[in-house]
Amino acid sequence: MSAEKQWDGTTYGNGLMHRWLIGLLRRIDVRFIYVFAYVFVVPPCLLRPGYKFIYRYFRERFGLSPLVAFWKTYLQHGMFAQAIIDKFAMYAGKTFDIDIEGYEHFQTLATKPEGFVQLSSHVGNYEIAGYSLVAKDKKFNALVFFGEKASVMENRMKMFEHTNIRMIPIREDMSHLFELDSALSNGQIVSIPGDRIWGSSKAVTVKLLGHEARLPMGPFKVIATRGLEAIVVHVVKVATRRYKIFVTPLSYDKDAPRNTQVEQLSTQYAAEVERIVRYYPTQWYNYFPFWGK
């Protein structure tokens, strides 16, 4: 079964359910929804195909016993539920406290006329960063999954309508690449996920958590080809109403051959993902065979 069939990247539920959840979150404490999710939503999710990949992640990458790996898998699904609930809580008007580590790296690049790339991963709740890391004079372009539910896209648009944030859907005809190129040419910020192969099948092999993994070559090639600056941004949950954003700059030899540049960038990116994942192992949401069979 392909990765796309195992998990298609969309938020569960339909438009009616999403509107009901937003209305409910306007009236009650978000923690009540967390409890409901842990008791009634998470257990059935453990029967889905993605369960085994998370279980193997804890067993093989962290060397946990079967029982502990199962418990961590349950907690991981619960954290994923919290991330989704928090997203809808923001749509309902609720706010979260945000701490930012390395904010000066973002600020420095935001003041320059050149565009730059902000790499993300499926760790924590990256959408929170879209409301926090905003440059006053630079448009922020986020590459997003094209097949997301209409209700989710509609709420995102409402959140962003008074900001300089724009979403670029990943399309099968690859037209999103032209939009990314145009944004970078105009000195804007482009946000790209770096831990999941999308669009082109070209990949780069890196060492991550002690095992070889494949990352999409595209994001690193875009950076190297244009000689751009780049940062890695992770947003993790540290308390019920608090998130922490980690901003880490990437460096590479701009005079080196292109393949070497791509290797340097992807290796640093993988090292940063591993650093965050080791601190917050239950907040990486990759429900497919990331390390292969």
Side-chain angles (χ1 to χ4, degrees):
M1 184 181 288
S2 68
E4 289 76 12
K5 291 297 183 182
Q6 292 151 7
W7 185 70
D8 59 13
T10 63
T11 303
Y12 298 131
N14 54 41
L16 179 62
M17 290 174 60
H18 295 166
R19 288 190 292 273
W20 176 83
L21 179 58
I22 291 171
L24 187 63
L25 285 165
R26 290 193 178 112
R27 295 171 176 82
I28 68 172
D29 192 304
V30 69
R31 287 172 293 187
F32 289 109
I33 309 296
Y34 293 165
V35 173
F36 178 87
Y38 272 87
V39 175
F40 297 105
V41 178
V42 171
C45 288
L46 298 180
L47 302 176
R48 296 175 65 88
Y51 157 80
K52 62 183 178 182
F53 302 122
I54 299 301
Y55 176 77
R56 283 174 49 194
Y57 157 70
F58 286 115
R59 283 281 286 142
E60 298 172 6
R61 302 283 76 83
F62 288 92
L64 301 180
S65 68
L67 184 60
V68 175
F70 174 80
W71 175 241
K72 289 288 187 180
T73 302
Y74 174 83
L75 294 178
Q76 191 269 1
H77 281 70
M79 290 302 298
F80 185 46
Q82 285 193 44
I84 294 174
I85 293 166
D86 288 352
K87 179 167 63 176
F88 282 94
M90 289 189 297
Y91 298 158
K94 294 186 182 295
T95 59
F96 295 86
D97 295 325
I98 306 292
D99 298 322
I100 306 178
E101 181 179 300
Y103 188 42
E104 67 277 7
H105 301 303
F106 177 86
Q107 288 179 307
T108 298
L109 296 181
T111 58
K112 295 181 178 180
E114 299 84 10
F116 65 91
V117 173
Q118 183 169 302
L119 293 173
S120 65
S121 69
H122 290 78
V123 172
N125 199 341
Y126 181 70
E127 193 163 325
I128 294 276
Y131 312 119
S132 307
L133 292 179
V134 179
K136 185 183 297 183
D137 301 318
K138 275 187 184 292
K139 180 164 288 194
F140 183 94
N141 303 269
L143 202 64
V144 297
F145 178 64
F146 181 74
E148 183 57 280
K149 299 287 171 50
S151 56
V152 174
M153 295 297 289
E154 179 183 342
N155 281 294
R156 281 176 176 168
M157 292 300 293
K158 288 180 180 178
M159 292 291 294
F160 297 148
E161 63 183 354
H162 299 300
T163 71
N164 59 353
I165 299 171
R166 180 171 73 106
M167 291 174 288
I168 300 177
I170 298 173
R171 300 184 178 89
E172 291 185 4
D173 62 4
M174 306 299 283
S175 60
H176 56 275
L177 296 180
F178 296 102
E179 295 185 61
L180 293 179
D181 185 70
S182 175
L184 291 169
S185 296
N186 291 321
Q188 300 174 7
I189 305 169
V190 168
S191 173
I192 309 176
D195 65 339
R196 187 166 298 166
I197 296 174
W198 46 268
S200 171
S201 60
K202 292 183 178 179
V204 57
T205 301
V206 297
K207 210 63 172 292
L208 207 160
L209 292 175
H211 199 79
E212 287 189 347
R214 297 171 74 245
L215 301 177
M217 182 180 292
F220 310 107
K221 198 168 184 178
V222 167
I223 298 168
T225 300
R226 285 181 163 271
L228 298 169
E229 298 298 323
I231 56 176
V232 183
V233 174
H234 285 109
V235 186
V236 297
K237 187 162 188 169
V238 294
T240 301
R241 299 295 293 273
R242 182 178 296 276
Y243 278 87
K244 185 169 185 177
I245 299 177
F246 295 89
V247 182
T248 305
L250 295 182
S251 60
Y252 63 105
D253 184 356
K254 295 183 180 180
D255 295 320
R258 188 67 44 76
N259 289 342
T260 301
Q261 294 176 352
V262 169
E263 181 181 356
Q264 291 173 346
L265 288 164
S266 59
T267 299
Q268 287 182 68
Y269 170 82
E272 179 60 14
V273 172
E274 178 168 333
R275 182 178 79 90
I276 298 298
V277 166
R278 285 195 179 278
Y279 276 111
Y280 305 96
T282 59
Q283 293 193 51
W284 194 16
Y285 311 124
N286 261 328
Y287 298 98
F288 70 101
F290 187 76
W291 285 274
K293 297 185 183 296

